[in-house]
Structures are given as C-alpha cells and as structure tokens.
Amino acid sequence: MINKITTVLLFLSFSITQTFAQSAQEDPKLWTPEDIINTESMRSPIFSPDATMVVWSKRIPVKKKDKFVSNLFVTRLAVKEKQGYLTTQLTQGEENDYNPVFSKDGKAIYFLSSRDKGKKLWKLSLYGGEAEEIEEFKNGISSIQLKDDRTLLFTSKDGKTLYDQNSEELKDDVEIIEDSLHWQPNHIYAFDLKDKETTRITTNDKPIEDFVVSKNGNYLYYSTARSLSYAVDAQKDPYNYLKNLKTGNTLQILKEFEFPISNVSFTQDESGFYFSSDFASDPKWNGAGISELYFYDIASQKTQKVNIDWSLGLGNGFNVSGNDVVVSLANKATMKLAYYKKQGTSWSKSVIDLGAKNNHVTIEAIADNSSKVIFSHSTASKLPQYFVADIKGSKFQNESTFITLNKKLAKKYMPKSEIMTWVGYNGDSVTGILYYPKEYISGKKYPLMLNIHGGPMSQNLDEWSGSWAYYPAILTQKNMFVLMPNYHGSTNHGLEYAEAIKGNYYEPELEDITKGIDKLVNDGKVDRDQMGSMGWSNGAIITTMLTVKYPDLFKVAAPGAGDVNWTSDYGTCQFGVSFDQSYFGGAPWDDTAGKTYNENYLIKSPLFEIEKIKTPTIIFHGSEDRAVPRDQGWEYYRGLQQVGKTPVKFLWFPGQPHGLGKITHQLRKMKEEIAWIDTYLFDKKPTENEAFKEESPLGTILKLAEAKQQSGLYGNLEKNVLIPETVLLKKDSISLGRFEVTNAQFKAFKTDFDYEVGKDNYPALVTKSSAIDYTTWLSKQTESTYRLPNSKEADELQKLAAKNAKEQNNLNYWAGYALTPEDSKLLKQKLNELTTSLLKPVGSHKAIKINESLFYDLGGNVSEYSENGNYDYSAYDYADPYDVTTKPSEHIGFRVVKQ
C-alpha cells in the first residue's frame, strides 16, 4: 500500500477583519531563496497512446527528509479548466516515483519507485485506487520501456558472483575503486506482465550504456561500454547494436562514428531511427564540438547525416513526429525550432512559426500518434508557461494552456532583461543575458555581478533562470546589473567558437568577459568600482582566474566547486584525463616547449599565482564531488588563508556531489553568498551580534525595552495622564493594547484604586463594569474611541492565547511538567497553600508577534474581559492543549482596543 490518488483541499479561515493574520514579508513581491528553490516545473511528460492524457512529474520538497522527491501527476486533455486541464496528483509521500510508462490500452501506468530499495515494479490505474505491486526484482530494476501489451523491457544484473559475496563477508568499509578483472555486466531483460516471467534478451559481456525499443516493439537499439576508464579518458566509445526482436538477430552498427551516439529515437513506421552525435576537428578526447543529426536506415543498414541547413548545429535536441523530426537549432542565446519532413533519403525544412514565442520555446513531448505536442515558453524575464497544441507538420494549431504552475510566484517582481552582444576575443561576436537593476534609471551607474555558467560546454539562454547556483531575480532586487556571458568555449555558437579554448584555456574567456564589462562601463551603466563575480563549476574556475589576473577589479568573489590546481585534477577528476588533455594539450608529464613536463598544468593553475588575489572570496564545495574533486576547495582555501591578503570563507557540504541536493544546503549556500555580497560589494557589514541570540532572556528584555515607559511605568503620557500603549495590528486597522491595563494606568482613572506597593506594572484585577467605565473615561480623556474586544476579536485572541500558552504565565508553567486535566485539578488544591501571588509584572514572558507588532501576556498572567465575556488564561488557570475554548476565571483583567 504506497500511493493513493487523492485530492486534498486546505481551507484557511480568517476573521472578518483579518486582524490577526500571520505576518507576511515586508514586500511579498520580492524573491527569497525559498522561492527560488521551490519554483515548480513540469518534468518528463509522456502522452497516453491515444494522446488524451499526459503523465508528468514534479519535484516536491520534503523538509523532514531534507531532500526533493519526484511525484507523478496526470493531466486529462478531455477536461478543460480555467488555467489548463484537469490535473490530479497520482503519487505522494517521501520517496521518488519515476520512469512512468503507459499501458498499451492507456488505462494504467507502470512506474518505478525508490521505496523498498527501488527493486519493485508498480502499476497504478488512472481511474482510481491504490498502486499495485507487480513484481519484486532481487537484483534491481531500472529503465523500464514497454515492448508490447504484455512485455516490459528493463535493465538489471544477473546477481552477485561468489567473488562479490565473499567481498561482502569481509564486513569492512574498503571500497574497490576499479577492478578490471571483475567487471560484471548488466543486461536487458523482458518481463511478461501476464505470466510474471523474466527472460534475458541480451548476452553482452560489458555493461549496457543505453537502450531504446522501437514503437511497435520489433527492434531494440542498445549500446555497451568497452572500457572501465571510459568516463575518465573518453577512449573506446561504446559499441552500438541493433537487435531484431522478431528473429533474434543482433547486428553491430554505427562503427564509423568518432563520438558516442545519443538520443536514439525510432520512427513511427520502424524504418529506422534518428540519433545525434558530436563533431569536432580533433575528436580524440571527445572534446568540444557541435551536435549533428543523423538517420540510420534499418533496411539498407546505412547512416545518413540529416542536412539541417544550419551551421551552428543542434541546440536542445530533437523530437520525432511520425517519420519526421522537430529540431531545436542552436541560435547563440536562443533556440530556433524547425520541422524536417522525411522524403525518401532527403528532408525538406520548414520553420515552425509560433509568433511572439519564437526562439523561446522548448518541445517537451510529442504524442506517439503525432497528433499533439506539449511545449514550454519562457524568457529571462518570464516564468515558464506550458502549452499543448495539435501538430500538423510544421503547424502548431489550437494552442492552449496545458498546466499553470507557480501561481504565487507569478505575482513576484520579474527582472528586466535583454540579450547583450559585444565584440570579444578574436573579433568574434559574444552574447550574454543582461539583467537590469530593479529600480534602473537611465544614465545612472550601478554595481555589476557576473554570473558565469559552468561547462564550459554550456550556455546562457534567454529563458528563465533561477536555482541555488544562479538567482538573478534576487540579485537585481539589490539594484545591480547581472551579466551571464556566453564566453568562448560555450555551446550554441558554432564549432570554431566552442573549440577556441582548446589548448588556449582561460585567455579567450577572460578577454570576452572583460570586454563585456568594458562595454557596460563605456555605456554608462556599470560602476567599475563596484563589481563582483560568482559561478559554479567552470563558472567558479573562470571567476577564480579573473581575481588572479585582475586583482583590483572585483570587490567580491563567490566560486563554487571550481579547480585551482590542474596537476591534481588530472588524476582525481572523474573525467580529468579527457578534459585536461583536450584543453591543456596533453598529459602533465608530456614533454612540451622544451621542458620535461607540460607547463600548461602549472601556468594555467591559479594555485601557483594565488598570492595575487585580493578579492574577498567565499568558497563552496561538496565533500563527495568527483567532477571537480573536493580537495580543490581545500587547496583554494588554504592558499588564500596562508597568503592572508583577503578575507576568505570556506563552506563544505557533507555528502554532496558536484551539485547540491539537500534543501538545507541549497538554502545555506544562497544565504551565505548573499550575505557575502552584501558585506563586500555593498559594504553592508552584518549588524547582528554573533554572540546574541534573539530568543534568549536578554533578547526578551531588549524587546521589552522597546515598549513605551514613563519613569519605569508602562504606557504613554497624554495630557499628563498615564494611558495604555496601543499598537496597530496592520495598516488601516484597529490598535490593540501591547499589555494588559496595569495598576498604575487604572489608578489614573480611579484614584482610590488600591494595590500593593511596588506592583504598579502588574495587571489590574477589576470588575467588568469597572473595565467598561475605564474605556469610556479613556475615550473622553484622549478624544479617541477605546473599547473592550468584541466577540470575534476575542475568539481570535483566544486562539492566539491557546497557541502560545506553553511559554506564558499560566498553571502549566507553574507545574513544571506537561500538565494533564486530572493533575490540574489536584494542583489547584496545592495553590491554597500559597501566601504570595502568581501574577507577574506585564511583559514578564515571551512576546507574541502579530504581523510585525509585539504583544505580551496573551496566554497567561490574567484572563481578559471582552464585550461578551472573557478570554485567555490567568496564572491560576489550566491551558488545555486539546480544548482551546474559553473557560471561566477568578483572575480577570482587561486589554483595550483603540478604533
């Protein structure tokens, strides 16, 4: 029993006046780190066979587990709603549910889950009910694909060898990093959904890298690894095979390619499949290049390059539509869509015209019957929107909103942005995304923060950007420009642009970026004396070298997971050999430039020039990072710390790989980074005292000191008379007494009122009629309207009193333990032995926050009169956590309301 199809409705009730609503941000339109990491997105949509339903996933934060999980949703295209189509959450909980596959009849989905160690196959009816466990696979199950109406294909292993079992019996924590003698393969298996039988269908002796089954289940493409060290050195690309599932014949294919094959997708008629592969002038290390589109014809066993008539190559991949293909074309800082109709052995190209959305669209899915398409649209200034349309060749028709996400975030401030171009290295045109300050005024100069992308084989597009690594919406709120540059080495800009940094690492990138800065300064937009740089991975690498080469240019640097020592990176990075060989012209020990070593590994390593850095630097690194080995962070920090020329801080994220996955880690990174930028770019030193805890007894006293006092007596002096201090609950609202009316305040009204010496600031215990008379007198005295709380206000105040009773002056507090109703009756008998009062001066206990204002003694000290009775608890009353209704009290005072 794991998942239920449920609809949960949460009703939030408020009083008519909404007087006691929870506190909100000072400006709810401003972005926070929490907003950034919780931004919703639709992931991995798949159409049902008849294209009437779509199953997709959404990342959900689970605070208790400090992680994000994937839940499954279904959208029914036959049921239109105001902001999309009827959508139901299929799975929920604290585990990942993923890899959904429709049954052939479209009535159910099969999926995998991280529950039970991820070894079970689940089925869920789309018409209600709970998920059903279909089978448990003791050796695991992954990458399920439907072959036909009763057969699922998946990958798994045959089981543990005796060698593996004996190794486990040693019961130590030794890790075997690599063992070329014991490289156990996984295989592709077929599972019969009716008979519950599993059959191995491949006999490979090396691990499966990828597999794809054709539309009607007649063919299987798969690839196998050839070398244990392939991830490190990119040598011996995987072998590719095509298996005829009707005859059982297997053929090795695509032997001529110098780069690995990816994104295999069969045509509807199973005549062949499309795939992509990279091209570079020097393919030895599978280095930087452009992506190209190919078609493999099954009958002729021949491969043909699809002429996309576009020099920059593929952008964001492609999607097969019947026998044709929709292609995302690289277009520098955008992507263009084009439709290629297959006509025998050639293709005719048509531009897909989506009007104002052009160049800002991503294809999310196309139905197997080629009738519908789902796509997303966004810009750097617009959150993603999701649409569904009918597709007929290159025409998208009857477009409508598919699903509406981020409804609350849509009300946030959206940064102004534009695609910026300038002349960079080698006279080439460089692009980037420029975000404007929130309150930009033309002609005024502003600070600049560089946000440098990783890769370097990546790019910044004119699309929404918001993550724990980069968050321009928050930065521009601080009235700064943010520039995301597509430096040389980035993708989407053509082959020469991508290859320009091979053997020439750093020089083109730094020239591109500094010339971009020059343009902004010369245009009168940026103050050269107020600049910083941040980035993750290669963005951190570039940030670091900028601070080496230009030690006086930047006020702040925030590199995350970046290299400083290429000599150690070569052997410790999980792809160090191929990356470093490609960009630094060989291995560290190669004899170059007349030396017995490759000096690039020294002269390109910031570590050996780290004494030049003057920029205050905050460093981030995950402890399990193998993409940029974790010790790079230590070398970076230790160098700056020992040189001692600049402030440095190093944050280490335990258990985290190259990307941060924990909710707490993502938030901590952002908040630490923002504080560092505030401190060193804006010279806003932290005002908090590191030794001071706001919720401490000292903090309580300091907050209390903010209350109005006259010679030690709480209240205001008006016409030389002491009256209660009242505080606005919110703008254009009533005011409420910060404290209960004190003895000294009441005596100003009734001069013969008597109380013990020294108890001026204690709550006044009076009759209800006296309390009403006091409000009448106070109204005349001040020419304002005062009264007791009405019944609705009293109900809200009672709820607040009950919610906060634990930390207030009531019988529960004096008991010293978790009081029960039974014990409270006995304890009240003990009170008869008291010779002193349990009441305290007003404000003796923790304040309660209503909106942004502080109030005291709601939950204890004395019960309080309302127009129709009383509310709250006195020091002698039991606050029952399971019965929050008002009870009679023998110790009642009052608190005033000012209209």
Side-chain angles (χ1 to χ4, degrees):
M1 305 277 288
I2 63 164
N3 295 306
K4 295 183 178 180
I5 301 178
T6 58
T7 303
V8 181
L9 301 178
L10 299 178
F11 296 97
L12 304 177
S13 60
F14 302 90
S15 66
I16 293 176
T17 61
Q18 294 185 345
T19 300
F20 306 101
Q22 292 182 341
S23 61
Q25 291 184 78
E26 185 178 340
D27 183 353
K29 290 186 177 181
L30 295 181
W31 289 85
T32 67
E34 287 78 8
D35 293 331
I36 295 294
I37 70 166
N38 291 320
T39 302
E40 299 175 317
S41 63
M42 179 188 69
R43 302 184 177 195
S44 307
I46 57 167
F47 278 96
S48 61
D50 63 0
T52 61
M53 291 182 287
V54 179
V55 169
W56 51 280
S57 67
K58 184 170 71 171
R59 193 184 68 159
I60 307 291
V62 181
K63 290 184 179 180
K64 186 170 68 174
K65 297 284 188 178
D66 195 16
K67 67 177 183 179
F68 295 92
V69 300
S70 175
N71 287 170
L72 300 179
F73 294 74
V74 62
T75 298
R76 302 176 189 275
L77 299 178
V79 186
K80 190 79 171 68
E81 293 189 327
K82 186 176 180 180
Q83 293 182 309
Y85 293 85
L86 177 63
T87 297
T88 307
Q89 185 170 348
L90 295 176
T91 68
Q92 55 189 330
E94 299 175 354
E95 300 293 338
N96 279 303
D97 301 312
Y98 57 96
N99 197 175
V101 175
F102 273 98
S103 60
K104 278 292 184 183
D105 59 13
K107 295 180 179 179
I109 60 166
Y110 299 96
F111 67 96
L112 302 180
S113 174
S114 61
R115 295 167 176 81
D116 301 322
K117 299 181 179 180
K119 294 185 175 183
K120 294 180 178 179
L121 174 67
W122 301 90
K123 181 181 181 181
L124 181 63
S125 169
L126 295 173
Y127 296 95
E130 299 180 22
E132 172 191 0
E133 178 187 326
I134 299 299
E135 184 79 358
E136 181 171 5
F137 299 84
K138 65 179 182 179
N139 298 319
I141 177 173
S142 61
S143 305
I144 61 173
Q145 296 183 36
L146 193 68
K147 174 183 176 292
D148 51 49
D149 59 358
R150 63 180 289 170
T151 309
L152 273 175
L153 303 187
F154 65 96
T155 58
S156 185
K157 291 186 176 181
D158 293 327
K160 295 178 181 178
T161 64
L162 181 59
Y163 175 82
D164 293 330
Q165 296 175 47
N166 290 338
S167 296
E168 288 182 356
E169 290 177 2
L170 296 175
K171 295 183 179 179
D172 57 29
D173 59 358
V174 174
E175 295 183 28
I176 300 174
I177 302 301
E178 194 170 297
D179 182 356
S180 60
L181 299 178
H182 300 89
W183 191 19
Q184 186 184 10
N186 60 347
H187 297 101
I188 301 172
Y189 297 82
F191 177 71
D192 190 307
L193 294 164
K194 182 176 180 181
D195 296 338
K196 305 293 180 68
E197 293 180 352
T198 301
T199 305
R200 187 190 311 107
I201 62 171
T202 62
T203 58
N204 49 287
D205 58 0
K206 299 288 175 63
I208 296 289
E209 290 281 298
D210 188 23
F211 81 95
V212 180
V213 66
S214 63
K215 306 294 184 182
N216 296 318
N218 293 317
Y219 294 96
L220 172 69
Y221 160 85
Y222 66 95
S223 61
T224 62
R226 297 171 56 203
S227 167
L228 268 172
S229 61
Y230 179 69
V232 175
D233 58 25
Q235 302 303 295
K236 298 183 178 180
D237 290 337
Y239 282 146
N240 301 282
Y241 298 92
L242 183 67
K243 185 179 182 71
N244 187 321
L245 295 175
K246 294 181 294 183
T247 66
N249 292 334
T250 300
L251 178 69
Q252 184 180 349
I253 59 174
L254 309 176
K255 299 177 184 180
E256 68 272 25
F257 281 84
E258 295 182 300
F259 275 86
I261 304 306
S262 59
N263 305 314
V264 168
S265 185
F266 283 89
T267 57
Q268 186 64 44
D269 65 3
E270 296 189 328
S271 62
F273 58 80
Y274 292 93
F275 65 93
S276 60
S277 186
D278 286 352
F279 171 80
S281 61
D282 178 13
K284 183 177 181 181
W285 304 105
N286 286 354
I290 60 171
S291 185
E292 299 181 323
L293 181 65
Y294 295 87
F295 182 80
Y296 178 81
D297 182 77
I298 294 176
S300 67
Q301 300 179 14
K302 291 183 179 180
T303 302
Q304 185 175 0
K305 180 180 174 181
V306 178
N307 180 15
I308 61 174
D309 189 25
W310 193 256
S311 63
L312 300 182
L314 297 184
N316 196 27
F318 63 89
N319 295 79
V320 172
S321 178
N323 296 328
D324 306 329
V325 61
V326 177
V327 178
S328 171
L329 299 173
N331 193 39
K332 297 188 175 180
T334 64
M335 300 284 187
K336 292 177 68 73
L337 288 181
Y339 188 91
Y340 295 85
K341 183 173 181 59
K342 190 174 187 303
Q343 298 171 320
T345 58
S346 64
W347 286 262
S348 61
K349 177 182 179 181
S350 301
V351 174
I352 295 176
D353 186 2
L354 294 173
K357 297 184 181 70
N358 280 344
N359 301 337
H360 296 89
V361 167
T362 298
I363 302 298
E364 303 289 347
I366 294 178
D368 281 348
N369 63 12
S370 304
S371 63
K372 291 187 180 296
V373 58
I374 295 173
F375 63 91
S376 59
H377 164 68
S378 78
T379 70
S381 300
K382 181 185 292 184
L383 284 162
Q385 298 173 304
Y386 300 94
F387 300 91
V388 62
D390 298 330
I391 180 171
K392 293 185 178 180
S394 63
K395 305 295 182 182
F396 289 12
Q397 301 172 342
N398 304 318
E399 173 191 313
S400 61
T401 297
F402 173 70
I403 186 76
T404 301
L405 302 177
N406 301 304
K407 294 178 183 178
K408 292 182 179 179
L409 296 184
K411 300 176 182 178
K412 297 279 183 180
Y413 145 76
M414 298 295 164
K416 175 187 173 182
S417 64
E418 66 184 23
I419 298 174
M420 175 181 166
T421 60
W422 66 96
V423 177
Y425 172 77
N426 204 29
D428 291 340
S429 175
V430 181
T431 69
I433 309 301
L434 180 67
Y435 294 84
Y436 279 70
K438 181 176 182 291
E439 298 173 6
Y440 175 70
I441 299 173
S442 180
K444 183 178 177 180
K445 294 182 179 181
Y446 293 87
L448 169 69
M449 196 73 191
L450 296 172
N451 280 207
I452 305 176
H453 71 69
M457 290 291 287
S458 182
Q459 73 284 318
N460 292 305
L461 298 174
D462 185 13
E463 64 182 13
W464 183 257
S465 176
S467 70
W468 56 266
Y470 303 94
Y471 39 90
I474 290 180
L475 296 177
T476 54
Q477 287 173 174
K478 296 180 175 294
N479 264 354
M480 67 170 80
F481 277 100
V482 174
L483 176 61
M484 292 183 155
N486 287 317
Y487 50 85
H488 275 78
S490 301
T491 53
N492 247 45
H493 290 66
L495 181 61
E496 290 184 8
Y497 199 89
E499 292 191 315
I501 64 172
K502 287 183 177 179
N504 195 28
Y505 202 71
Y506 287 124
E507 284 81 4
E509 304 99 294
L510 267 58
E511 184 174 338
D512 288 341
I513 292 169
T514 54
K515 284 186 174 179
I517 292 172
D518 290 342
K519 177 173 173 55
L520 290 171
V521 171
N522 293 336
D523 287 349
K525 292 179 176 177
V526 164
D527 181 354
R528 190 182 289 274
D529 293 328
Q530 272 193 295
M531 299 193 303
S533 184
M534 60 184 280
W536 197 263
S537 192
N538 201 68
I541 292 168
I542 301 301
T543 288
T544 302
M545 189 57 88
L546 281 168
T547 64
V548 169
K549 299 300 184 182
Y550 305 95
D552 297 312
L553 190 59
F554 299 99
K555 298 293 185 185
V556 65
D563 281 281
V564 293
N565 185 357
W566 295 111
T567 63
S568 57
D569 177 87
Y570 185 91
T572 55
C573 172
Q574 64 185 10
F575 48 83
V577 175
S578 59
F579 186 95
D580 297 355
Q581 290 263 14
S582 181
Y583 287 116
F584 302 133
W589 50 80
D590 286 346
D591 300 345
T592 60
K595 298 180 175 63
T596 59
Y597 56 90
N598 185 341
E599 66 178 357
N600 274 334
Y601 283 83
L602 298 178
I603 64 177
K604 301 286 187 179
S605 291
L607 182 67
F608 300 105
E609 296 183 86
I610 209 162
E611 78 283 357
K612 295 178 180 178
I613 295 178
K614 300 178 185 178
T615 308
T617 303
I618 185 168
I619 302 166
F620 306 100
H621 227 110
S623 71
E624 304 306 311
D625 195 343
R626 288 292 316 285
V628 177
R630 62 185 191 177
D631 289 339
Q632 294 288 332
W634 275 111
E635 292 185 57
Y636 196 174
Y637 168 73
R638 189 60 69 210
L640 290 178
Q641 181 261 332
Q642 285 294 301
V643 170
K645 286 186 177 180
T646 186
V648 59
K649 188 172 185 178
F650 181 19
L651 271 71
W652 182 257
F653 298 98
Q656 297 298 282
H658 193 52
L660 304 183
K662 287 188 174 183
I663 297 172
T664 53
H665 288 171
Q666 292 183 5
L667 289 174
R668 181 68 179 274
K669 183 264 181 185
M670 295 177 70
K671 292 177 180 180
E672 289 273 0
E673 196 166 43
I674 291 168
W676 195 262
I677 293 169
D678 281 342
T679 299
Y680 294 103
L681 185 60
F682 293 104
D683 199 27
K684 294 180 179 178
K685 303 294 189 228
T687 57
E688 296 84 6
N689 187 314
E690 292 183 358
F692 173 65
K693 184 178 180 181
E694 190 173 343
E695 301 304 317
S696 65
L698 176 59
T700 300
I701 292 176
L702 290 173
K703 287 178 183 175
L704 188 60
E706 297 174 6
K708 301 292 185 182
Q709 296 186 48
Q710 311 299 325
S711 301
L713 303 179
Y714 288 121
N716 291 321
L717 270 182
E718 188 161 326
K719 297 180 182 179
N720 210 32
V721 174
L722 185 68
I723 66 171
E725 177 192 5
T726 58
V727 185
L728 271 173
L729 291 170
K730 65 177 183 178
K731 187 178 179 181
D732 300 325
S733 174
I734 62 171
S735 295
L736 182 69
R738 190 185 294 278
F739 304 104
E740 298 147 335
V741 173
T742 66
N743 286 328
Q745 293 165 1
F746 193 79
K747 191 173 180 66
F749 155 64
K750 192 171 184 180
T751 57
D752 61 349
F753 180 64
D754 194 24
Y755 57 87
E756 291 183 38
V757 175
K759 292 193 174 182
D760 306 82
N761 283 330
Y762 279 63
L765 295 174
V766 299
T767 63
K768 183 174 182 179
S769 60
S770 295
I772 294 173
D773 289 343
Y774 178 84
T775 60
T776 302
W777 167 81
L778 187 59
S779 298
K780 292 179 180 178
Q781 180 72 24
T782 61
E783 298 180 357
S784 299
T785 301
Y786 287 84
R787 57 177 173 81
L788 297 179
N790 61 35
S791 58
K792 290 180 180 178
E793 293 162 350
D795 287 344
E796 295 288 353
L797 288 168
Q798 175 61 29
K799 291 176 185 177
L800 282 171
K803 181 179 178 180
N804 295 279
K806 186 177 180 180
E807 297 174 304
Q808 301 299 320
N809 182 21
N810 47 51
L811 190 61
N812 307 52
Y813 165 77
W814 290 106
Y817 63 92
L819 197 59
T820 64
E822 293 75 15
D823 282 350
S824 70
K825 296 173 184 177
L826 294 173
L827 191 61
K828 285 185 178 181
Q829 297 175 16
K830 193 70 174 175
L831 298 182
N832 296 327
E833 301 177 18
L834 284 174
T835 57
T836 58
S837 173
L838 296 183
L839 301 187
K840 294 184 178 184
V842 296
S844 295
H845 284 247
K846 185 178 179 180
I848 294 173
K849 201 170 189 180
I850 304 177
N851 290 333
E852 295 303 313
S853 301
L854 297 178
F855 298 87
Y856 292 85
D857 300 313
L858 279 171
N861 219 14
V862 293
S863 181
E864 301 173 10
Y865 290 118
S866 68
E867 291 180 348
N868 299 316
N870 67 289
Y871 60 90
D872 204 354
Y873 313 97
S874 79
Y876 298 83
D877 299 331
Y878 170 54
D880 189 339
Y882 302 107
D883 182 3
V884 300
T885 57
T886 302
K887 300 294 188 297
S889 178
E890 296 179 1
H891 301 80
I892 309 180
F894 67 105
R895 186 186 305 262
V896 297
V897 172
K898 180 182 177 182
Q899 289 286 96

